[in-house]
Amino acid sequence: MDQSARTATVEVVVGEADGVIPDGTSVSVYADVPAVRGLDRDLLKALRRAARAAALHGIGLRINGGWRSPARQLRLLENAIERLGSREEAARWVATPETSAHVAGQAVDVGPVAAAAWLAEHGTRYGLCRVYRNEPWHFELRPEAARYGNPPLYANPSEDPRHRRGERHTAADTSAIAADA
Ligand SMILES: [Zn+2]
C-alpha cells in the first residue's frame, strides 16, 4: 500500500482508550489508564524502578505519553503535517502508525523536564535509553545499556532506520512540537 495515501479526510474521535494523555497533563507510572496499561511489561517495570529511584532524589518522574492506538498516532502525524507544512518535516518529529514505537508499546515520554534530565543521566542502569537528540523526553528499553551505555542518538526520528522510507531530509531545524515519535 502507498504509505503516502491521503488519510486525513476522515475525522476519527480519539480519547483515553487510544492512549491519549491530554497536553499539559501527565500520569503516574502506576496509573491504570490505557496509555500505561498498553506499555511493554519490561519497559514499564524498568520505568517504575527508575521512578522509585528518582523519587529518592526528590524527582517526580511521570508519563506524558505512552502506548498509543494507531488512530491516535495518525492524528498526531496529521497535526504535525498541518503545523509543519509537509510530511517530510513532520517525519522529523512524529512516526507513522506503522512505525511508531509508541504504538508498539515500546516507548515512553517522561516529564517534567527535570525528570527527563534525571533519566537521561541515570536511566541506562535500568536499560532506559534516549533515542533521538531532538526528543529529550522519549525513552525506550535497551536492556544491554546497563552494560554498554546509551547507544548513539539519532538526530531525529527521520534518521531512525525503523522509520526510513529511503528519503533524505535536509530541511532546517524547526521548533519543538508537543507530539513526537
Ligand atoms: Zn516518544
Side-chain angles (χ1 to χ4, degrees), residues 20-34:
V20 171
I21 298 173
D23 282 351
T25 70
S26 62
V27 298
S28 158
V29 296
Y30 297 98
D32 186 19
V33 295

Side-chain angles (χ1 to χ4, degrees), residues 110-128:
V110 307
V113 170
W118 185 91
L119 198 59
E121 193 175 346
H122 303 284
T124 54
R125 182 176 306 174
Y126 311 95
L128 295 169

Side-chain angles (χ1 to χ4, degrees), residues 1 3-5 10 34 47 67 69 76 86 89 93 136 145:
M1 194 182 94
Q3 298 285 2
S4 67
V10 178
L47 192 66
W67 171 84
S69 72
L76 292 173
S86 74
E89 270 303 296
W93 298 95

